Amino acid sequence: MEHQSKILDCTIRDGGLVNNWDFSVEFVQDLYNGLSAAGVEYMEIGYKNSARLLNVSEPNPWRFLDDNFLKEIIPEKKFTKLSALVDIGRVDPDDILPREQSVLDMIRVACYIREVDKGLELVKLFHDLGYETSLNIMALSSVPEQQLLKAFDMVKASPVDVVYIVDSFGSLDPADIEHQVKKFREMVPNKQLGIHTHNNMQLAFANTLAAYQSGVTFLDSSVYGMGRAAGNCNTELLVSYIQKPSYELKPVLGVIEKHMIEMRQKWEWGYIIPYMISGVLNEHPRVAMAHRDSADRDKFVEFYDKVTTPEAPLAPASK
Amino acid sequence: MEHQSKILDCTIRDGGLVNNWDFSVEFVQDLYNGLSAAGVEYMEIGYKNSARLLNVSEPNPWRFLDDNFLKEIIPEKKFTKLSALVDIGRVDPDDILPREQSVLDMIRVACYIREVDKGLELVKLFHDLGYETSLNIMALSSVPEQQLLKAFDMVKASPVDVVYIVDSFGSLDPADIEHQVKKFREMVPNKQLGIHTHNNMQLAFANTLAAYQSGVTFLDSSVYGMGRAAGNCNTELLVSYIQKPSYELKPVLGVIEKHMIEMRQKWEWGYIIPYMISGVLNEHPRVAMAHRDSADRDKFVEFYDKVTTPEAPLAPASK
């Protein structure tokens, strides 16, 4: 079981939420080559959403992946497969080529629990085009059990390859993960499972290990943990820890040394107190991210008071 | 069981290994008051080793604790009890007052497996003086099973209150911790257990949780994780996570906000690649610490090659 597991590196896709995908072509190429040399099975090279549907006019190649551009950047595929993430209502199905004409191998669909039906429609479409597919149900820690059970029925009947347990808020612990994995395995025994964690409480790696040891096969991670807010499980930890002869730590260290130290000085992610607090409270990190962008960024007590005072609206637009 | 657990904050003692105990009196007082307000049960305020035995002439009040000085600094005890750590051969038993004349409540004895007999001699002495005591067996991940079983016999017969599982190298994972706890509980059923972790692989909190959930009662931690090399389990995470009505996160956030952000800019601890590597390799962090003190501090590939090349001596003096 354990040897069937695969690492899916999200540095570009989830890390892009930190720096608005301000990644150089050189970095993305170095990352691809490094992950291939390290034996990492998948690299998520960005979002394949539609700039038109999002009303964005400025170019953003890793947010709005284009097959021709990808072919220029990665003229020759190496060991690592490529994946892209799409969001419901933001992807234009007409943008997706059949797999044999694309550099991409896998398309992952992110959705909230209420949109699982729409998500699976997209999955079906991408599956029929020849892609490996996954459904990533976000904000799992806030999903009522009953809604999840309904979703499982649809998932079980769909052609999706992998169903992800996504701890969007970084609020779960290893025992929670084991509980979720057990439930998912019982309810969708015909699907592979995946895990995507966030490091708000410094549990991203431990939670990923708990999932791995419970038989989850797709393990999401990012090099040096780069991902939104508290970031993700670190790719270098998975490559070090998982006993697979094909994994090599050194190429990942090379990427960190050449790029990530400097990037971390420029952009912020990781274990940071307001993100810890939002994890503990099982809240979306957006309020904490806004706080870190303000002049009060290091006022932790004030932030804590703000988010724990019941009458104060946290994020009026989205709660 | 769970409600019997206690947090023992090591910020001053283990954090002092980062900055040569360069803590202001104001910081130590703020920390004591903050931990008391947070409901943290113990604070380890330093080492009670002997400057004379260590041939150190410059003053270092938190490394060579003095009862009169402590009484000045903390004229009135609040909620939190105080502990001190001593090392075999470095402590002068004549320096230790009877507990009723001291501000200290607990004396902890650190030792390697080969010195458990000497460690328990000291424990007996401190116990007879009225202190709570613990024996902290270091470098547990490198101790052969057979030696540990012998040590357990001596521990079982001693008056020591707490026996610690110490992951000095930050190389254990939650499953390892559960295994160790099980062994310790079987072999010394008459003692409370403690856990002291390091964060080399970002597992310090997860390992402490695993110990807590297995019934370990003394949980070591440091505010903002400040401790040697990769640092320790974070006090703020334990206070947030453990469901005990007396725990309050806010006073710990106050200490972090007022002091630790600036301290972290001045001194280095935490998840840093060479410490991650030494954790993965189950090595003492000293080679990694020397590397971080050199001009090559960010050359991770070079460091990895150095420590994984069999013919290269790592640390000639101590291996």
Side-chain angles (χ1 to χ4, degrees):
Chain A
M1 171 60 73
E2 294 194 347
H3 275 268
Q4 293 170 8
S5 70
K6 297 161 175 74
I7 299 174
L8 190 150
D9 183 276
C10 304
T11 310
I12 302 302
R13 202 268 312 155
D14 207 323
L17 295 164
V18 172
N19 68 351
N20 195 30
W21 298 273
D22 185 7
F23 298 111
S24 69
V25 167
E26 187 203 5
F27 173 69
V28 177
Q29 289 174 329
D30 284 350
L31 181 65
Y32 182 73
N33 292 332
L35 292 174
S36 280
V40 170
E41 288 85 352
Y42 292 82
M43 165 170 163
E44 191 152 85
I45 196 163
Y47 278 96
K48 195 158 176 52
N49 284 332
S50 154
R52 185 180 54 76
L53 288 176
L54 277 159
N55 280 317
V56 173
S57 55
E58 62 186 33
N60 196 328
W62 317 113
R63 188 177 179 196
F64 308 116
L65 289 171
D66 172 83
D67 278 286
N68 291 325
F69 176 72
L70 277 183
K71 275 168 205 155
E72 271 175 49
I73 300 307
I74 300 182
E76 200 184 344
K77 290 278 281 288
K78 297 189 173 169
F79 176 79
T80 301
K81 291 183 179 178
L82 292 175
S83 80
L85 190 71
V86 302
D87 290 316
I88 311 269
R90 296 181 175 180
V91 58
D92 181 349
D94 291 340
D95 289 347
I96 314 288
L97 296 176
R99 179 177 178 182
E100 66 263 27
Q101 296 171 36
S102 173
V103 179
L104 298 172
D105 302 283
M106 183 176 204
I107 300 186
R108 311 203 302 166
V109 178
C111 69
Y112 288 102
I113 191 75
R114 64 178 180 278
E115 317 159 317
V116 162
D117 52 345
K118 290 197 179 67
L120 290 173
E121 244 176 49
L122 287 173
V123 159
K124 172 86 171 63
L125 205 137
F126 304 142
H127 174 81
D128 290 347
L129 288 169
Y131 294 97
E132 300 176 43
T133 57
S134 80
L135 187 75
N136 298 21
I137 306 173
M138 296 183 290
L140 192 74
S141 56
S142 306
V143 174
E145 183 91 5
Q146 205 45 41
Q147 280 190 41
L148 199 56
L149 297 181
K150 257 204 234 166
F152 282 142
D153 282 340
M154 290 186 271
V155 168
K156 207 157 66 178
S158 85
V160 72
D161 298 302
V162 189
V163 192
Y164 264 81
I165 297 167
V166 182
D167 179 18
S168 301
F169 302 162
S171 60
L172 301 180
D173 69 18
D176 296 327
I177 297 290
E178 281 163 28
H179 172 80
Q180 293 289 353
V181 173
K182 198 163 166 260
K183 195 163 63 184
F184 273 61
R185 294 190 76 170
E186 278 168 19
M187 301 306 293
V188 282
N190 59 335
K191 301 298 175 189
Q192 291 189 77
L193 300 183
I195 181 83
H196 181 92
T197 60
H198 281 274
N199 207 27
N200 301 61
M201 299 197 290
Q202 297 195 11
L203 290 175
F205 178 49
N207 284 344
T208 305
L209 282 191
Y212 166 69
Q213 283 154 357
S214 307
V216 168
T217 49
F218 275 75
L219 312 175
D220 278 19
S221 62
S222 297
V223 175
Y224 211 50
M226 186 180 190
R228 180 162 63 182
N232 306 122
C233 172
N234 295 50
T235 302
E236 67 272 20
L237 287 171
L238 286 182
V239 169
S240 299
Y241 186 91
I242 294 179
Q243 298 295 316
K244 206 176 198 177
S246 45
Y247 286 152
E248 293 289 345
L249 175 59
K250 229 162 85 167
V252 185
L253 296 179
V255 174
I256 297 175
E257 176 178 325
K258 183 170 176 192
H259 295 285
M260 306 296 299
I261 299 298
E262 208 182 312
M263 286 165 65
R264 179 61 185 80
Q265 276 160 5
K266 201 164 160 191
W267 299 299
E268 175 176 288
W269 70 87
Y271 178 76
I272 290 159
I273 295 296
Y275 302 144
M276 183 275 278
I277 293 170
S278 70
V280 165
L281 298 175
N282 190 19
E283 299 279 358
H284 193 287
R286 67 172 70 82
V287 186
M289 291 168 79
H291 185 80
R292 289 300 289 173
D293 256 346
S294 76
D296 296 332
R297 64 202 309 273
D298 284 331
K299 294 191 178 160
F300 305 141
V301 172
E302 189 183 298
F303 176 77
Y304 183 74
D305 279 340
K306 194 172 76 178
V307 295
T308 55
T309 303
E311 62 272 22
L314 284 192
S318 54
K319 289 290 291 185
Chain B
M1 169 61 72
E2 294 193 347
H3 275 269
Q4 294 170 9
S5 70
K6 297 161 177 73
I7 300 174
L8 191 150
D9 182 276
C10 304
T11 310
I12 303 300
R13 203 268 311 156
D14 207 322
L17 294 163
V18 172
N19 68 351
N20 194 31
W21 297 273
D22 187 7
F23 298 112
S24 69
V25 166
E26 187 203 6
F27 172 69
V28 177
Q29 289 174 330
D30 284 350
L31 181 64
Y32 182 73
N33 293 332
L35 292 173
S36 281
V40 170
E41 289 84 354
Y42 292 81
M43 165 171 162
E44 191 151 86
I45 195 163
Y47 278 98
K48 195 161 175 49
N49 284 333
S50 156
R52 185 180 53 77
L53 288 176
L54 277 159
N55 280 319
V56 172
S57 55
E58 62 186 32
N60 197 328
W62 317 113
R63 189 177 178 196
F64 307 117
L65 289 172
D66 172 83
D67 278 287
N68 291 325
F69 176 72
L70 277 183
K71 276 168 204 154
E72 271 174 50
I73 299 308
I74 300 183
E76 202 183 344
K77 290 277 280 289
K78 297 188 173 169
F79 176 80
T80 302
K81 291 183 181 179
L82 292 175
S83 79
L85 191 69
V86 302
D87 290 316
I88 311 270
R90 294 181 175 182
V91 56
D92 181 349
D94 292 341
D95 289 346
I96 314 288
L97 295 176
R99 179 177 177 183
E100 67 263 24
Q101 297 170 36
S102 172
V103 179
L104 297 173
D105 301 284
M106 182 176 204
I107 299 184
R108 310 203 303 167
V109 177
C111 69
Y112 287 103
I113 190 75
R114 62 179 183 278
E115 316 160 317
V116 163
D117 51 345
K118 291 197 179 67
L120 289 173
E121 244 174 49
L122 287 173
V123 159
K124 173 86 170 63
L125 203 138
F126 303 142
H127 174 80
D128 291 347
L129 287 169
Y131 293 96
E132 299 176 44
T133 58
S134 81
L135 187 76
N136 297 24
I137 306 172
M138 295 182 290
L140 193 73
S141 56
S142 305
V143 174
E145 184 91 3
Q146 205 45 43
Q147 280 190 43
L148 198 57
L149 297 182
K150 256 203 234 168
F152 281 142
D153 282 339
M154 291 186 271
V155 167
K156 207 157 66 179
S158 85
V160 73
D161 298 303
V162 189
V163 192
Y164 264 81
I165 296 167
V166 182
D167 180 18
S168 302
F169 303 162
S171 59
L172 301 180
D173 68 18
D176 296 326
I177 296 288
E178 281 163 27
H179 173 78
Q180 293 289 352
V181 172
K182 198 162 165 260
K183 196 163 61 181
F184 273 61
R185 292 189 77 170
E186 279 168 17
M187 302 305 294
V188 283
N190 59 335
K191 302 298 176 189
Q192 290 188 76
L193 300 184
I195 182 82
H196 181 93
T197 60
H198 280 273
N199 207 27
N200 301 60
M201 299 195 292
Q202 298 194 12
L203 290 174
F205 177 48
N207 284 343
T208 305
L209 282 190
Y212 165 70
Q213 284 154 355
S214 306
V216 168
T217 50
F218 274 75
L219 312 175
D220 279 19
S221 62
S222 298
V223 176
Y224 212 49
M226 186 181 189
R228 180 162 63 184
N232 305 123
C233 172
N234 295 49
T235 302
E236 67 272 20
L237 288 170
L238 286 183
V239 168
S240 300
Y241 187 91
I242 295 181
Q243 298 296 316
K244 208 176 195 177
S246 46
Y247 286 152
E248 292 290 344
L249 176 60
K250 227 163 89 167
V252 185
L253 296 179
V255 174
I256 297 174
E257 175 177 326
K258 183 171 174 191
H259 295 286
M260 307 296 300
I261 299 298
E262 208 182 312
M263 285 164 66
R264 180 60 185 80
Q265 276 160 5
K266 200 164 161 191
W267 299 298
E268 174 176 287
W269 71 87
Y271 179 76
I272 290 158
I273 295 297
Y275 302 144
M276 183 276 276
I277 294 170
S278 69
V280 165
L281 298 175
N282 190 18
E283 299 278 358
H284 193 287
R286 69 173 69 82
V287 185
M289 289 166 79
H291 186 81
R292 289 301 288 173
D293 257 346
S294 76
D296 296 334
R297 63 201 310 273
D298 284 332
K299 294 192 178 159
F300 305 141
V301 173
E302 189 183 297
F303 176 77
Y304 183 75
D305 279 339
K306 194 170 75 176
V307 295
T308 54
T309 304
E311 62 272 23
L314 282 191
S318 55
K319 288 290 289 186

